[in-house]
Amino acid sequence: MIGVPFDGYDEVRVGIIGLGNRGMGMLPLFDAVPGVRVTAICDVRRERVRQGSDLLAEAGSRRPREYARGAEDYERLAEAEDVDFVYIASPWENHYPQAAACLRGGKHVGIELPIATELDEIWSLVDLSEQQRRHCLLMENCSYGRQELAMLRMAHDGLFGEVTHGHGGYLHDLRELLFSETHYYNQWRRKWHTEKNRSFYPMHGLAPIAAAMDINRGDRLTTLQASASPARGLADYRERFVSKDRTEVWAEEYISGDRVTCMIGTEQGRLIRAELDVCSPRPYSRINTIAGSRGLLEDYPSRIYFEPDHEGHTWADSQPYLDEYDHWLWQDIGDDAGNHGGHGGMDYILIYRTMQCMQQGLVPDIDIYDSAAWCAAVPLSGESLSTGGPVQIPDFTRGQWSEERAGLDSDRAPLLD
């Protein structure tokens, strides 16, 4: 599926599986993109499906077909004739079976992080995408962040010299939400911390760095070594803030390290450090650092230093460079993206660009091979932590990684009407 364009659609008909916090938040963003119609929505909770339908109706859009007959009703949506693209925002364990069903049903598929949780499932999605000739991609919103895309363009323009290493992550205190009785359906997300010791989603930090390094476009990820701090944060939070009446919570044992770090090597000898920490008290950060032989850019706070512009070991203001290298997507629709919200607008940019590629018959910026390489870090981090050593990252491109091709630094496309 490398270099394969979408067929081109006068109108993109979208189905959504999973109407929790993420799915319900993305629903109006799909509805806001010109030339897009949400035709089907699915959830195990009938009341959430009804709420989603009402939300669309209140916005002046047609009510979608509703799928709420139970846990397997997504299979009917996967076969629906009035759906071209399916967006999956269900709990992680459901991503693979739902995506596989939709690919077999002839749908293009966009999946929230990760596309699948196990290596054999990731390979299966690669195979299905190729067999069905349908795109399957990770809906990685951080790849479309304004600074991330500017950083990508700076790297490609040679500001940092030869790019040698990067550091990205997702450091977000989610303890209150993880213990909420209502935020995550059936408290599914906290339960993962009782079952696996791994980096559950390093992709927020990994994906933008991989794009700046042209991973699968002249270089590839080859090895991963994971390390983890002790699992202390959730148990400590429970001790201080969770009622003893919640006996099922107090019976839990948390085994996933608070901070999981993945050191990833590439074929060209570059190094990426991808980190995840959702269990510690701290301000939010995605780190966003790219460095090379002539300097670097760091985020949180954003700052820059590269030769010959800077000297004296003193950080400089990055904003002039971010303005100069602002990606055309943000130039064209940035204000509109901000009006629609969604993590500062990058959610809308992600959806808009995906739908733009479908309508105009373009090659997607992110494909199944990118998605597989990024998400492989999830099961492989667990394997590395279990064995205590490095593990090999498969070549999902089957040897085509060395060929140059476009990615997130794509050519400008006409605006959607």
Side-chain angles (χ1 to χ4, degrees):
M1 295 298 287
I2 289 177
V4 176
F6 287 105
D7 293 335
Y9 297 81
D10 294 332
E11 177 185 64
V12 181
R13 300 167 300 176
V14 173
I16 297 178
I17 300 175
L19 293 170
N21 298 295
R22 186 61 173 161
M24 198 67 85
M26 295 287 266
L27 174 60
L29 302 188
F30 276 102
D31 186 54
V33 177
V36 173
R37 182 162 62 94
V38 178
T39 57
I41 54 176
C42 176
D43 196 275
V44 294
R45 297 162 293 176
R46 185 172 295 277
E47 68 274 13
R48 295 293 288 184
V49 173
R50 175 51 56 179
Q51 290 171 17
S53 180
D54 289 344
L55 188 153
L56 292 174
E58 290 166 5
S61 299
R62 278 183 278 177
R63 288 187 181 273
R65 194 182 303 274
E66 299 180 10
Y67 295 83
R69 295 181 183 174
E72 309 300 322
D73 209 25
Y74 69 84
E75 295 178 352
R76 286 200 305 129
L77 188 152
E79 298 294 332
E81 295 183 358
D82 61 346
V83 174
D84 306 306
F85 177 89
V86 179
Y87 167 66
I88 297 173
S90 55
W92 297 333
E93 59 268 24
N94 298 328
H95 288 186
Y96 169 69
Q98 291 171 350
C102 291
L103 286 169
R104 294 189 185 101
K107 311 297 187 286
H108 299 288
V109 184
I111 315 169
E112 277 297 329
L113 288 66
I115 61 170
T117 63
E118 305 302 332
L119 198 59
D120 60 340
E121 296 174 345
I122 294 171
W123 267 117
S124 177
L125 291 180
V126 173
D127 293 340
L128 280 169
S129 177
E130 293 175 343
Q131 293 162 8
Q132 300 296 324
R133 311 309 295 169
R134 289 294 180 266
H135 284 293
C136 177
L137 57 99
L138 180 71
M139 299 292 279
E140 177 46 83
N141 59 345
C142 292
S143 292
Y144 288 92
R146 195 161 201 161
Q147 171 139 328
E148 284 87 343
L149 285 174
M151 179 179 73
L152 165 69
R153 296 192 63 231
M154 291 181 206
H156 283 179
D157 201 38
L159 256 68
F160 310 115
E162 181 180 351
V163 173
T164 57
H165 60 284
H167 182 194
Y170 185 66
L171 311 180
H172 189 185
D173 181 2
L174 294 180
R175 293 171 301 161
E176 181 178 357
L177 298 181
L178 288 172
F179 281 103
S180 168
E181 296 182 79
T182 58
H183 190 77
Y184 296 112
Y185 176 64
N186 280 346
Q187 303 173 58
W188 67 265
R189 190 159 172 171
R190 190 184 69 253
K191 294 174 183 176
W192 278 87
H193 291 262
T194 70
E195 297 173 354
K196 305 281 187 180
N197 186 18
R198 55 170 56 175
S199 182
F200 295 122
Y201 53 112
M203 297 77 75
H204 279 339
L206 172 58
I209 303 300
M213 289 184 177
D214 289 320
I215 297 302
N216 290 337
R217 293 159 179 79
D219 199 359
R220 80 174 188 92
L221 308 179
T222 56
T223 60
L224 183 149
Q225 171 83 60
S227 59
S229 69
R232 299 290 186 267
L234 294 184
D236 179 74
Y237 186 91
R238 178 180 61 185
E239 181 69 31
R240 292 183 291 147
F241 300 111
V242 178
S243 169
K244 293 290 179 64
D245 293 337
R246 296 176 64 183
T247 55
E248 78 287 354
V249 176
W250 279 90
E252 294 173 345
E253 178 184 0
Y254 306 112
I255 64 173
S256 187
D258 292 348
R259 171 74 66 98
V260 181
T261 299
C262 296
M263 301 297 291
I264 300 171
T266 80
E267 187 72 29
Q268 301 295 339
R270 295 162 168 160
L271 184 65
I272 303 172
R273 178 155 52 114
E275 304 202 60
L276 175 71
D277 186 345
V278 298
C279 301
S280 303
R282 56 156 302 121
Y284 179 90
S285 174
R286 294 201 303 275
I287 305 170
N288 291 341
T289 297
I290 195 76
S293 57
R294 296 184 182 177
L296 75 164
L297 174 72
E298 286 191 354
D299 204 355
Y300 297 92
S302 183
R303 52 192 181 172
I304 199 168
Y305 184 93
F306 67 88
E307 299 169 338
D309 286 25
H310 310 121
E311 60 184 4
H313 310 288
T314 301
W315 289 106
D317 181 8
S318 61
Q319 196 58 52
Y321 301 94
L322 296 175
D323 292 341
E324 180 181 353
Y325 285 93
D326 199 23
H327 193 280
W328 64 264
L329 273 166
W330 281 96
Q331 293 177 31
D332 285 355
I333 61 173
D335 289 342
D336 197 31
N339 291 337
H340 290 296
H343 293 94
M346 65 184 181
D347 290 350
Y348 184 73
I349 294 283
L350 160 65
I351 292 172
Y352 183 100
R353 177 57 179 167
T354 305
M355 298 296 97
Q356 182 184 54
C357 288
M358 290 191 68
Q359 291 184 46
Q360 298 180 6
L362 306 175
V363 176
D365 301 335
I366 297 170
D367 59 27
I368 182 59
Y369 309 103
D370 302 319
S371 306
W374 303 338
C375 293
V378 177
L380 291 178
S381 64
E383 181 181 341
S384 177
L385 289 172
S386 177
T387 63
V391 294
Q392 298 296 309
I393 300 175
D395 173 16
F396 295 99
T397 73
R398 298 181 177 91
Q400 298 186 63
W401 60 267
S402 61
E403 301 174 9
E404 294 184 3
R405 58 190 177 92
L408 283 154
D409 195 5
S410 52
D411 292 334
R412 199 180 214 111
L415 285 170
L416 297 175
D417 296 327

